[in-house]
Amino acid sequence: MKLLNRSTCAIVLGVKIVTQDNTGKKSPGVDGETAPTPARRVRLVKRLLDLAQKGWDDYRAKPLKRRLIPKPNGKKRPLSIPTIEDRAVQATIKLALEPFYEAKFEPNSYGFRPAMSAHDAIEAVFKQISRKQKWALDADIKGCFDNISHSAVMRSIPYEYRGLVSEWLKAGYVEEHKVFPTYEGTPQGGVISPLLANIVLDGMERDLKESAKTWQFVEDKSLPEPIDLAKKWHWKIGNGTLGREKSKTVALIGYAGDFVILHEDRRVIEYAKDWIENWLSLRGLTLS
């Protein structure tokens, strides 16, 4: 990772990604700069090499340019555009960080990962429900990119990268010629933002399955009939029958901020929803 941070090849590749490969290569940031010509790209590479040789200590991220993009439901999604230099630095650092996390990410997380797509998530769901009918919690995280806790991001990444990542998270944004600070969220439009979101959400599937091993049901016979079946049961945390028999079949399949939890028992799904809400709250997130 340290070699990639200062590698000439990595920096050249990072510049190529944001100035030639990326669909937003023609979108300037607050400085109005792009790098459409080879000469400008060479200057950008030299600038980044100079910063990298000093350990990125002199690097300072510029504020993001905010644009509101219409959504199909009539609402607007904020898109924050970094400068071309900031995007190139993010692409370079991502080349170092991503392989490390790809080796440890959970198996059923499919969003914004290399060589994975929504089709893989669909296949994973199909394998869970094709032979046995199951209950499903179909959920998405409310404003996942916009609401992620900065402290949760800082806790999740190696110490030596926290200075750079903090620069991007705290850069603020410009809207209608005014600069606004950012206290939460990772910008939609940043090259490294999807990776940071995946890093923060990593562990949701693993932690859910571990927690499910301790769940058990106790029937409350004091409640009058008729009553909703789901309300007839209390939950206990302990080594119960669910831990031995059913916890292995709890499935969580995610695609960035969207996920499903599948299980044959409705009670497991309903308790999993409460558990997930608590897990997300520790990271500044809520369910939509």
Side-chain angles (χ1 to χ4, degrees):
M1 291 166 76
K2 289 181 180 178
L3 289 172
L4 279 168
N5 284 346
R6 305 181 187 188
S7 161
T8 301
C9 293
I11 289 172
V12 170
L13 180 56
V15 170
K16 179 181 184 294
I17 288 170
V18 300
T19 61
Q20 293 177 273
D21 298 345
N22 196 285
T23 54
K25 60 191 175 185
K26 296 181 180 179
S27 301
V30 292
D31 59 359
E33 294 289 328
T34 58
T37 64
R40 288 192 182 182
R41 291 195 282 271
V42 168
R43 286 201 297 270
L44 183 56
V45 167
K46 289 180 177 178
R47 164 72 175 154
L48 265 59
L49 281 172
D50 183 55
L51 290 169
Q53 287 168 2
K54 297 175 182 177
W56 302 102
D57 291 339
D58 294 341
Y59 171 72
R60 296 293 180 271
K62 294 181 176 64
L64 306 149
K65 184 169 73 173
R66 176 65 62 92
R67 289 288 182 270
L68 296 176
I69 309 298
K71 294 171 68 174
N73 60 7
K75 297 181 180 179
K76 292 186 177 181
R77 175 172 60 92
L79 183 68
S80 302
I81 306 171
T83 64
I84 198 72
E85 178 182 295
D86 291 336
R87 276 177 272 170
V89 176
Q90 289 184 22
T92 302
I93 300 303
K94 184 182 177 184
L95 289 171
L97 280 175
E98 191 169 57
F100 169 74
Y101 284 101
E102 277 298 314
K104 63 195 286 293
F105 275 155
E106 295 168 314
N108 286 310
S109 170
Y110 297 97
F112 302 112
R113 294 182 60 187
M116 292 187 183
S117 70
H119 295 287
D120 297 302
I122 292 169
E123 182 181 7
V125 173
F126 175 78
K127 286 178 179 178
Q128 287 290 330
I129 63 175
S130 59
R131 296 187 178 182
K132 184 178 287 187
Q133 192 178 58
K134 293 185 178 181
W135 291 90
L137 170 67
D138 179 14
D140 70 281
I141 300 169
K142 185 177 181 179
C144 182
F145 281 81
D146 298 330
N147 297 310
I148 284 178
S149 165
H150 287 178
S151 59
V153 177
M154 292 295 110
R155 289 195 305 267
S156 304
I157 60 174
Y159 177 80
E160 57 268 29
Y161 291 95
R162 292 179 184 176
L164 278 169
V165 173
S166 180
E167 281 289 320
W168 300 323
L169 296 180
K170 303 291 186 183
Y173 63 93
V174 175
E175 189 174 14
E176 295 181 354
H177 308 291
K178 294 181 181 179
V179 180
F180 298 89
T182 46
Y183 301 109
E184 60 186 10
T186 180
Q188 295 189 51
V191 176
I192 205 169
S193 293
L195 176 61
L196 294 179
N198 278 339
I199 290 171
V200 172
L201 294 175
D202 184 50
M204 183 162 59
E205 176 188 358
R206 181 171 55 250
D207 293 349
L208 174 66
K209 289 185 175 182
E210 282 299 311
S211 177
K213 293 177 182 178
T214 67
W215 301 352
Q216 61 177 311
F217 305 105
V218 177
E219 187 174 4
D220 187 351
K221 296 182 179 180
S222 66
L223 294 173
E225 297 287 349
I227 190 169
D228 185 351
L229 179 65
K231 295 178 181 178
K232 192 177 180 181
W233 300 87
H234 287 319
W235 291 91
K236 275 191 174 182
I237 301 301
N239 293 319
T241 55
L242 181 64
R244 292 194 297 270
E245 297 173 5
K246 295 184 178 180
S247 61
K248 293 180 181 178
T249 60
V250 177
L252 189 152
I253 298 156
Y255 189 91
D258 298 276
F259 63 91
V260 293
I261 298 175
L262 303 166
H263 197 272
E264 60 194 76
D265 195 321
R266 173 178 167 176
R267 297 167 297 179
V268 175
I269 294 297
E270 291 179 337
Y271 191 67
K273 178 177 180 290
D274 295 336
W275 186 94
I276 284 290
E277 287 178 333
N278 182 64
W279 192 93
L280 290 173
S281 69
L282 299 175
R283 291 150 180 84
L285 300 169
T286 57
L287 290 181
S288 177

